[in-house]
Each structure stands twice: as structure tokens, then as C-alpha cells.
Amino acid sequence: MIAEFALLFALMAVVVVAPVIGQVRRLAPQIAKLRAELAAPPQMRELRFTIREVIAVPVAAQIVAFPARVAPAAGKPGHWRKAA
């Protein structure tokens, strides 16, 4: 009886672990590529964001959207000042 449970447990372990090992083998080249990209980042990255401000009054909260401003292209003088 114990041998049957041990065999069933071993079979279940193989059935559960085999797909995980297969996925790791398939994903290993992609993981290596991502690590290489992180190790050698590009010289310049682009970051875009929108600033929103919430003004709370005692009666109710209101979301105020600031008008969009056009900033100079990255790499031109003063482009980082427009982000503030």
C-alpha cells in the first residue's frame, strides 16, 4: 500500500514538474537576451508622463487637468526644464 502511494506521488511530481522545466528551457534564450539588454542600456531613454493635480475643497474634490505643453525634443537645450 505504501509503495503504491510512493509511486503515485512520484508520478504526480513528474507530471507537475515536467511542464515547468519545459517552459524554463524555452524561455532561457529570451531571459538571456533581456539580461544582455539590461546590462548594455541605450545611451538615451525617453520618458513621457502627464502631471495631474487634485485640488480638494471642503465640499467636494475636483480633478483639474493642466493644459498640455509642447516641450522641445530630447537632446535640444532646455528639454529637461519643460518637464518640471
Side-chain angles (χ1 to χ4, degrees):
M1 184 82 167
I2 294 176
E4 288 88 5
F5 282 121
L7 183 61
L8 181 62
F9 181 75
L11 181 64
M12 283 180 42
V14 168
V15 168
V16 170
V17 172
V20 173
I21 292 173
Q23 280 185 335
V24 169
R25 283 183 149 182
R26 277 194 312 269
L27 294 177
Q30 292 177 353
I31 293 170
K33 179 183 172 188
L34 288 173
R35 283 188 175 179
E37 288 177 2
L38 286 174
Q43 293 295 325
M44 193 182 302
R45 291 187 185 256
E46 182 177 340
L47 175 66
R48 294 176 184 233
F49 57 92
T50 303
I51 298 175
R52 303 248 184 226
E53 182 177 337
V54 177
I55 300 174
V57 292
V59 179
Q62 180 182 8
I63 297 176
V64 178
F66 291 113
R69 292 185 291 171
V70 178
K76 292 191 177 179
H79 76 277
W80 56 272
R81 290 188 195 112
K82 292 289 186 178

